[in-house]
Amino acid sequence: FHSGEREEKCIIEDVPSDTLVIGNYKVQRWDIHRQEFLESAPGLGMFVTVTTPSAEVLLSKLYGPQGTFSFTSYLSGEHVICLQSNSTRFVAFAGSKLRIHLDIRVGEHFLDESVVQAKDKVNEVNIRLEHLIEQIHHISKEQNYEREREEKFRKTSEETNSNILWWAIVQTLILISIGIWQIKSLRDFFISKKLV
């Protein structure tokens, strides 16, 4: 995505509890003379701020023009990941455009390739098996989180439907009572004018 030099951009990531989140980013600065983005942005860093669903700051750190950040969620819900350059220029002069490449992986645990390439095949199979078991636990955790969200949504929908039903009943009773009152008023009016 593109961003201004002093502009903060935020991404919302829905994460189950107790899950590892890894983010890689790279910043490129626009070169006015070449009319293209430079391969890197020397001297420019990024403030990375991660906020939990309860508005607590989980991570707030300054990184270089490219880097990796990671955090483990302890609450399930929408985590806000914000990136902002550490440009020291005044807002009026900070007109340079930035291109930010961001890759966020949720719940991935990577195998150490040096360990995987070990000569002991039993050890390699054991490590891969542990990695698969870890992935199964993550998938199970994510399914439980989705199940909780679906149950919460279903309860909200049922409450809304119930409220709509009661509102319709109240409206019907109001309309019937107004109709009866109008008929009675008209009858009394006709009787008082001796038209009936």
Side-chain angles (χ1 to χ4, degrees), residues 109-135:
H109 299 277
F110 300 103
L111 292 173
D112 186 5
E113 289 301 321
S114 62
V115 175
V116 171
Q117 294 173 354
K119 293 184 180 183
D120 185 12
K121 292 293 181 187
V122 174
N123 198 15
E124 180 182 341
V125 170
N126 190 21
I127 290 171
R128 289 198 185 272
L129 187 61
E130 287 176 4
H131 180 68
L132 288 174
I133 289 171
E134 201 170 293
Q135 285 181 329

Side-chain angles (χ1 to χ4, degrees), residues 75-181:
L75 283 176
S76 58
E78 294 180 342
H79 287 68
V80 180
I81 302 168
C82 295
L83 300 167
Q84 182 180 20
S85 71
N86 69 339
S87 175
T88 56
R89 295 191 206 180
F90 290 113
V91 176
F93 301 113
S96 183
K97 289 190 293 186
L98 301 175
R99 178 186 287 167
I100 302 169
H101 302 272
L102 179 63
D103 179 30
I104 296 177
R105 292 185 299 278
V106 177
E108 289 191 18
H109 299 277
F110 300 103
L111 292 173
D112 186 5
E113 289 301 321
S114 62
V115 175
V116 171
Q117 294 173 354
K119 293 184 180 183
D120 185 12
K121 292 293 181 187
V122 174
N123 198 15
E124 180 182 341
V125 170
N126 190 21
I127 290 171
R128 289 198 185 272
L129 187 61
E130 287 176 4
H131 180 68
L132 288 174
I133 289 171
E134 201 170 293
Q135 285 181 329
I136 289 170
H137 286 304
H138 172 68
I139 291 169
S140 173
K141 207 181 327 176
E142 219 167 281
Q143 284 178 335
N144 288 337
Y145 176 61
E146 291 300 324
R147 202 173 292 120
E148 289 171 11
R149 288 184 61 203
E150 188 273 332
E151 185 177 332
K152 183 179 175 185
F153 178 75
R154 186 173 37 80
K155 283 181 181 177
T156 304
S157 296
E158 287 173 359
E159 287 174 8
T160 304
N161 288 340
S162 174
N163 290 341
I164 289 172
L165 175 67
W166 284 110
W167 180 244
I169 290 171
V170 167
Q171 281 182 327
T172 305
L173 291 174
I174 290 172
L175 285 174
I176 290 172
S177 61
I178 288 175
I180 291 171
W181 177 77

